[in-house]
mmCIF file of all heavy atoms in Angstrom:
data_model
loop_
_atom_site.group_PDB
_atom_site.id
_atom_site.type_symbol
_atom_site.label_atom_id
_atom_site.label_comp_id
_atom_site.label_asym_id
_atom_site.label_seq_id
_atom_site.Cartn_x
_atom_site.Cartn_y
_atom_site.Cartn_z
ATOM 1 N N VAL A 229 -2.643 6.334 5.006
ATOM 2 C CA VAL A 229 -1.210 6.324 5.267
ATOM 3 C C VAL A 229 -0.542 6.005 3.886
ATOM 4 O O VAL A 229 -0.845 4.955 3.246
ATOM 5 C CB VAL A 229 -0.793 5.331 6.308
ATOM 6 C CG1 VAL A 229 0.752 5.164 6.398
ATOM 7 C CG2 VAL A 229 -1.333 5.678 7.630
ATOM 8 N N THR A 230 0.321 6.883 3.430
ATOM 9 C CA THR A 230 1.069 6.685 2.243
ATOM 10 C C THR A 230 2.531 6.513 2.598
ATOM 11 O O THR A 230 3.111 7.375 3.262
ATOM 12 C CB THR A 230 0.940 7.880 1.279
ATOM 13 O OG1 THR A 230 -0.479 7.966 0.972
ATOM 14 C CG2 THR A 230 1.693 7.583 -0.018
ATOM 15 N N ALA A 231 3.209 5.396 2.154
ATOM 16 C CA ALA A 231 4.663 5.166 2.520
ATOM 17 C C ALA A 231 5.388 5.337 1.174
ATOM 18 O O ALA A 231 5.121 4.727 0.216
ATOM 19 C CB ALA A 231 4.741 3.772 3.079
ATOM 20 N N ILE A 232 6.414 6.166 1.350
ATOM 21 C CA ILE A 232 7.268 6.485 0.143
ATOM 22 C C ILE A 232 8.727 6.056 0.542
ATOM 23 O O ILE A 232 9.296 6.558 1.452
ATOM 24 C CB ILE A 232 7.191 7.904 -0.314
ATOM 25 C CG1 ILE A 232 5.862 8.298 -0.616
ATOM 26 C CG2 ILE A 232 8.259 8.251 -1.365
ATOM 27 C CD1 ILE A 232 5.619 9.712 -0.958
ATOM 28 N N ARG A 233 9.354 5.180 -0.283
ATOM 29 C CA ARG A 233 10.700 4.805 -0.046
ATOM 30 C C ARG A 233 11.655 5.854 -0.734
ATOM 31 O O ARG A 233 11.447 6.043 -1.844
ATOM 32 C CB ARG A 233 11.003 3.427 -0.589
ATOM 33 C CG ARG A 233 12.369 2.976 -0.324
ATOM 34 C CD ARG A 233 12.581 1.572 -0.936
ATOM 35 N NE ARG A 233 13.858 1.219 -0.915
ATOM 36 C CZ ARG A 233 14.399 0.317 -0.074
ATOM 37 N NH1 ARG A 233 13.596 -0.398 0.599
ATOM 38 N NH2 ARG A 233 15.703 0.018 -0.003
ATOM 39 N N VAL A 234 12.552 6.301 0.118
ATOM 40 C CA VAL A 234 13.549 7.240 -0.393
ATOM 41 C C VAL A 234 14.747 6.621 -0.799
ATOM 42 O O VAL A 234 15.466 6.036 0.062
ATOM 43 C CB VAL A 234 13.792 8.292 0.759
ATOM 44 C CG1 VAL A 234 14.848 9.323 0.247
ATOM 45 C CG2 VAL A 234 12.529 9.048 1.158
ATOM 46 N N ASP A 235 15.027 6.578 -2.055
ATOM 47 C CA ASP A 235 16.250 5.884 -2.645
ATOM 48 C C ASP A 235 17.232 7.049 -3.064
ATOM 49 O O ASP A 235 16.899 8.127 -3.405
ATOM 50 C CB ASP A 235 15.915 5.202 -3.925
ATOM 51 C CG ASP A 235 15.090 3.897 -3.661
ATOM 52 O OD1 ASP A 235 15.375 3.288 -2.563
ATOM 53 O OD2 ASP A 235 14.348 3.472 -4.468
ATOM 54 N N ARG A 236 18.465 6.784 -2.877
ATOM 55 C CA ARG A 236 19.453 7.745 -3.039
ATOM 56 C C ARG A 236 19.567 8.232 -4.632
ATOM 57 O O ARG A 236 19.733 9.419 -4.873
ATOM 58 C CB ARG A 236 20.837 7.148 -2.655
ATOM 59 C CG ARG A 236 21.032 6.976 -1.287
ATOM 60 C CD ARG A 236 21.082 8.238 -0.378
ATOM 61 N NE ARG A 236 21.102 7.954 0.919
ATOM 62 C CZ ARG A 236 20.630 8.817 1.850
ATOM 63 N NH1 ARG A 236 19.952 9.888 1.482
ATOM 64 N NH2 ARG A 236 20.645 8.521 3.155
ATOM 65 N N GLY A 237 19.330 7.268 -5.500
ATOM 66 C CA GLY A 237 19.484 7.599 -6.895
ATOM 67 C C GLY A 237 18.128 7.839 -7.622
ATOM 68 O O GLY A 237 18.093 7.814 -8.800
ATOM 69 N N SER A 238 17.036 7.927 -6.881
ATOM 70 C CA SER A 238 15.764 8.099 -7.469
ATOM 71 C C SER A 238 15.481 9.403 -8.159
ATOM 72 O O SER A 238 15.938 10.457 -7.761
ATOM 73 C CB SER A 238 14.619 7.961 -6.405
ATOM 74 O OG SER A 238 13.401 8.227 -6.872
ATOM 75 N N PHE A 239 14.836 9.440 -9.321
ATOM 76 C CA PHE A 239 14.524 10.621 -10.064
ATOM 77 C C PHE A 239 13.488 11.523 -9.349
ATOM 78 O O PHE A 239 13.630 12.702 -9.365
ATOM 79 C CB PHE A 239 13.938 10.247 -11.396
ATOM 80 C CG PHE A 239 13.636 11.448 -12.234
ATOM 81 C CD1 PHE A 239 14.517 12.239 -12.841
ATOM 82 C CD2 PHE A 239 12.297 11.786 -12.472
ATOM 83 C CE1 PHE A 239 14.235 13.287 -13.558
ATOM 84 C CE2 PHE A 239 11.932 12.846 -13.187
ATOM 85 C CZ PHE A 239 12.925 13.677 -13.708
ATOM 86 N N GLU A 240 12.561 10.843 -8.602
ATOM 87 C CA GLU A 240 11.501 11.654 -7.889
ATOM 88 C C GLU A 240 12.195 12.293 -6.672
ATOM 89 O O GLU A 240 11.425 13.024 -5.953
ATOM 90 C CB GLU A 240 10.344 10.766 -7.504
ATOM 91 C CG GLU A 240 9.593 10.138 -8.728
ATOM 92 C CD GLU A 240 10.120 8.829 -9.126
ATOM 93 O OE1 GLU A 240 10.899 8.143 -8.422
ATOM 94 O OE2 GLU A 240 9.808 8.437 -10.257
#
Side-chain angles (χ1 to χ4, degrees):
V229 176
T230 303
I232 299 174
R233 182 182 172 108
V234 178
D235 290 327
R236 295 287 176 213
S238 174
F239 178 72
E240 295 89 17

